[in-house]
Short mmCIF file of all heavy atoms in Angstrom, two decimals:
data_model
loop_
_atom_site.label_atom_id
_atom_site.label_comp_id
_atom_site.label_asym_id
_atom_site.label_seq_id
_atom_site.Cartn_x
_atom_site.Cartn_y
_atom_site.Cartn_z
N ARG A 289 8.50 -8.87 -23.40
CA ARG A 289 8.48 -7.50 -22.80
C ARG A 289 7.05 -7.22 -22.67
O ARG A 289 6.31 -7.05 -23.57
CB ARG A 289 9.30 -6.56 -23.70
CG ARG A 289 10.77 -6.88 -23.78
CD ARG A 289 11.42 -5.95 -24.81
NE ARG A 289 10.99 -6.28 -26.20
CZ ARG A 289 11.64 -7.04 -27.08
NH1 ARG A 289 12.83 -7.51 -26.80
NH2 ARG A 289 11.10 -7.25 -28.35
N LEU A 291 4.13 -4.89 -20.64
CA LEU A 291 3.79 -3.74 -19.78
C LEU A 291 2.42 -4.01 -19.27
O LEU A 291 1.49 -4.26 -19.93
CB LEU A 291 3.73 -2.46 -20.61
CG LEU A 291 3.28 -1.14 -20.05
CD1 LEU A 291 4.48 -0.73 -19.07
CD2 LEU A 291 3.10 -0.07 -21.02
N LEU A 345 9.08 2.20 -19.31
CA LEU A 345 9.83 1.87 -20.58
C LEU A 345 11.12 2.55 -20.60
O LEU A 345 12.21 1.79 -21.07
CB LEU A 345 8.85 2.28 -21.77
CG LEU A 345 7.60 1.71 -21.92
CD1 LEU A 345 6.79 2.38 -23.18
CD2 LEU A 345 7.83 0.13 -22.28
N GLU A 351 11.06 1.36 -26.26
CA GLU A 351 10.13 2.24 -26.91
C GLU A 351 8.78 1.44 -26.89
O GLU A 351 8.90 0.19 -26.78
CB GLU A 351 10.57 2.55 -28.28
CG GLU A 351 11.75 3.42 -28.49
CD GLU A 351 11.60 4.80 -27.84
OE1 GLU A 351 10.45 5.25 -27.83
OE2 GLU A 351 12.67 5.38 -27.42
N PRO A 352 7.65 2.07 -26.97
CA PRO A 352 6.38 1.29 -27.00
C PRO A 352 6.30 0.24 -28.08
O PRO A 352 5.78 -0.81 -27.89
CB PRO A 352 5.43 2.49 -27.34
CG PRO A 352 6.04 3.65 -26.76
CD PRO A 352 7.48 3.61 -26.91
N GLY A 353 6.93 0.52 -29.23
CA GLY A 353 6.92 -0.53 -30.26
C GLY A 353 7.79 -1.71 -29.90
O GLY A 353 7.61 -2.72 -30.78
N ASP A 354 8.63 -1.66 -28.90
CA ASP A 354 9.51 -2.85 -28.49
C ASP A 354 8.70 -3.89 -27.74
O ASP A 354 9.20 -4.94 -27.53
CB ASP A 354 10.67 -2.38 -27.72
CG ASP A 354 11.59 -1.46 -28.50
OD1 ASP A 354 11.63 -1.69 -29.77
OD2 ASP A 354 12.18 -0.62 -27.94
N LEU A 355 7.45 -3.48 -27.21
CA LEU A 355 6.65 -4.36 -26.27
C LEU A 355 6.02 -5.59 -27.19
O LEU A 355 5.63 -5.39 -28.24
CB LEU A 355 5.64 -3.68 -25.60
CG LEU A 355 6.07 -2.41 -24.67
CD1 LEU A 355 4.77 -1.66 -24.19
CD2 LEU A 355 6.61 -3.20 -23.37
N ASP A 356 6.07 -6.64 -26.41
CA ASP A 356 5.46 -7.88 -27.01
C ASP A 356 3.90 -7.86 -26.65
O ASP A 356 3.18 -8.67 -27.24
CB ASP A 356 6.06 -9.16 -26.52
CG ASP A 356 7.61 -9.22 -27.03
OD1 ASP A 356 7.73 -9.25 -28.19
OD2 ASP A 356 8.50 -9.13 -26.20
N ALA A 357 3.65 -7.43 -25.40
CA ALA A 357 2.23 -7.31 -24.94
C ALA A 357 1.99 -6.28 -24.02
O ALA A 357 2.99 -5.82 -23.25
CB ALA A 357 1.92 -8.78 -24.32
N VAL A 358 0.84 -5.80 -23.93
CA VAL A 358 0.36 -4.84 -22.83
C VAL A 358 -0.79 -5.57 -22.13
O VAL A 358 -1.79 -6.08 -22.70
CB VAL A 358 -0.21 -3.52 -23.38
CG1 VAL A 358 -0.79 -2.71 -22.29
CG2 VAL A 358 1.00 -2.78 -24.04
N ALA A 359 -0.67 -5.72 -20.86
CA ALA A 359 -1.63 -6.47 -20.03
C ALA A 359 -2.47 -5.56 -19.19
O ALA A 359 -1.96 -4.84 -18.37
CB ALA A 359 -0.86 -7.55 -19.09
N ARG A 388 -12.16 0.47 -25.05
CA ARG A 388 -11.42 1.60 -25.99
C ARG A 388 -10.05 1.59 -25.33
O ARG A 388 -9.23 2.29 -25.84
CB ARG A 388 -11.94 2.85 -25.94
CG ARG A 388 -13.48 2.87 -26.62
CD ARG A 388 -13.44 2.72 -27.97
NE ARG A 388 -14.69 2.87 -28.74
CZ ARG A 388 -15.61 1.92 -28.84
NH1 ARG A 388 -15.33 0.66 -28.56
NH2 ARG A 388 -16.74 2.13 -29.44
N ALA A 389 -9.65 0.86 -24.36
CA ALA A 389 -8.41 1.04 -23.70
C ALA A 389 -7.17 0.86 -24.64
O ALA A 389 -6.23 1.59 -24.64
CB ALA A 389 -8.26 0.06 -22.47
N PRO A 390 -7.19 -0.17 -25.68
CA PRO A 390 -6.07 -0.15 -26.53
C PRO A 390 -5.81 1.13 -27.28
O PRO A 390 -4.62 1.58 -27.45
CB PRO A 390 -6.51 -1.28 -27.50
CG PRO A 390 -7.36 -2.26 -26.65
CD PRO A 390 -8.07 -1.10 -25.76
N ASN A 391 -6.93 1.82 -27.76
CA ASN A 391 -6.68 3.05 -28.45
C ASN A 391 -6.31 4.14 -27.51
O ASN A 391 -5.34 4.98 -27.90
CB ASN A 391 -8.06 3.43 -29.06
CG ASN A 391 -8.41 2.59 -30.24
OD1 ASN A 391 -7.58 1.85 -30.84
ND2 ASN A 391 -9.75 2.26 -30.44
N PHE A 392 -6.79 4.15 -26.36
CA PHE A 392 -6.34 5.30 -25.29
C PHE A 392 -4.82 4.96 -25.10
O PHE A 392 -4.00 5.89 -25.10
CB PHE A 392 -7.03 5.16 -23.94
CG PHE A 392 -8.54 5.46 -24.05
CD1 PHE A 392 -9.36 4.86 -23.25
CD2 PHE A 392 -8.94 6.42 -24.94
CE1 PHE A 392 -10.69 5.12 -23.34
CE2 PHE A 392 -10.24 6.82 -24.89
CZ PHE A 392 -11.15 6.16 -24.15
N LEU A 393 -4.31 3.80 -24.96
CA LEU A 393 -2.98 3.48 -24.69
C LEU A 393 -2.02 3.87 -25.94
O LEU A 393 -0.94 4.43 -25.62
CB LEU A 393 -2.77 2.05 -24.29
CG LEU A 393 -3.37 1.64 -22.83
CD1 LEU A 393 -3.46 0.23 -22.74
CD2 LEU A 393 -2.38 2.38 -21.83
N ALA A 394 -2.56 3.55 -27.11
CA ALA A 394 -1.72 3.84 -28.29
C ALA A 394 -1.62 5.32 -28.41
O ALA A 394 -0.62 5.76 -28.94
CB ALA A 394 -2.43 3.17 -29.45
N THR A 395 -2.69 6.13 -28.07
CA THR A 395 -2.57 7.55 -28.20
C THR A 395 -1.50 8.07 -27.00
O THR A 395 -0.76 9.08 -27.39
CB THR A 395 -3.85 8.14 -27.87
OG1 THR A 395 -4.77 7.76 -28.89
CG2 THR A 395 -3.80 9.73 -27.91
N ALA A 396 -1.57 7.55 -25.87
CA ALA A 396 -0.66 7.91 -24.78
C ALA A 396 0.84 7.52 -24.98
O ALA A 396 1.64 8.20 -24.65
CB ALA A 396 -1.13 7.35 -23.53
N LEU A 397 0.93 6.48 -25.67
CA LEU A 397 2.31 5.90 -25.97
C LEU A 397 2.47 5.70 -27.49
O LEU A 397 2.33 4.59 -28.04
CB LEU A 397 2.43 4.51 -25.37
CG LEU A 397 2.27 4.43 -23.74
CD1 LEU A 397 2.18 3.09 -23.26
CD2 LEU A 397 3.30 5.30 -23.06
N PRO A 398 2.75 6.74 -28.27
CA PRO A 398 2.83 6.66 -29.60
C PRO A 398 3.91 5.58 -30.00
O PRO A 398 5.05 5.38 -29.51
CB PRO A 398 3.46 8.05 -30.08
CG PRO A 398 3.03 8.98 -28.91
CD PRO A 398 2.97 8.14 -27.63
N GLY A 399 3.44 4.81 -31.06
CA GLY A 399 4.26 3.66 -31.52
C GLY A 399 3.89 2.37 -31.00
O GLY A 399 4.20 1.35 -31.45
N LEU A 400 2.94 2.39 -30.07
CA LEU A 400 2.25 1.13 -29.48
C LEU A 400 1.32 0.58 -30.40
O LEU A 400 0.40 1.33 -30.99
CB LEU A 400 1.72 1.41 -28.06
CG LEU A 400 0.99 0.31 -27.46
CD1 LEU A 400 2.01 -0.78 -27.00
CD2 LEU A 400 0.04 0.69 -26.32
N ASP A 401 1.38 -0.76 -30.67
CA ASP A 401 0.29 -1.38 -31.46
C ASP A 401 -0.89 -1.80 -30.64
O ASP A 401 -0.62 -2.64 -29.64
CB ASP A 401 0.96 -2.70 -32.07
CG ASP A 401 -0.07 -3.50 -32.79
OD1 ASP A 401 -1.18 -3.03 -33.01
OD2 ASP A 401 0.43 -4.64 -33.40
N PRO A 402 -1.91 -1.27 -30.90
CA PRO A 402 -3.13 -1.55 -29.99
C PRO A 402 -3.44 -3.00 -29.99
O PRO A 402 -4.13 -3.50 -29.05
CB PRO A 402 -4.20 -0.66 -30.41
CG PRO A 402 -3.94 -0.30 -31.76
CD PRO A 402 -2.32 -0.21 -31.93
N GLY A 403 -3.07 -3.72 -31.06
CA GLY A 403 -3.41 -5.11 -31.15
C GLY A 403 -2.68 -6.05 -30.25
O GLY A 403 -3.05 -7.16 -30.10
N ILE A 404 -1.75 -5.47 -29.43
CA ILE A 404 -1.02 -6.31 -28.50
C ILE A 404 -1.57 -6.15 -27.06
O ILE A 404 -1.13 -6.88 -26.12
CB ILE A 404 0.46 -6.11 -28.52
CG1 ILE A 404 0.84 -4.66 -27.89
CG2 ILE A 404 1.14 -6.28 -29.84
CD1 ILE A 404 2.28 -4.51 -27.58
N VAL A 405 -2.61 -5.41 -26.93
CA VAL A 405 -3.27 -5.16 -25.56
C VAL A 405 -4.09 -6.50 -25.24
O VAL A 405 -4.95 -6.97 -26.16
CB VAL A 405 -4.17 -4.02 -25.55
CG1 VAL A 405 -4.81 -3.89 -24.26
CG2 VAL A 405 -3.24 -2.80 -25.72
N ARG A 406 -3.85 -7.06 -24.12
CA ARG A 406 -4.60 -8.25 -23.60
C ARG A 406 -5.27 -7.88 -22.31
O ARG A 406 -4.71 -7.35 -21.39
CB ARG A 406 -3.66 -9.51 -23.43
CG ARG A 406 -2.89 -9.73 -24.76
CD ARG A 406 -2.01 -10.91 -24.46
NE ARG A 406 -0.95 -11.21 -25.38
CZ ARG A 406 -0.10 -12.14 -25.63
NH1 ARG A 406 -0.06 -12.99 -24.68
NH2 ARG A 406 0.82 -12.31 -26.63
#
Side-chain angles (χ1 to χ4, degrees):
R289 296 173 291 261
L291 180 67
L345 294 174
E351 296 292 335
D354 298 326
L355 291 168
D356 298 298
V358 174
R388 297 290 187 271
N391 293 328
F392 293 145
L393 289 164
T395 300
L397 303 171
L400 177 71
D401 176 5
I404 67 170
V405 176
R406 304 183 191 178

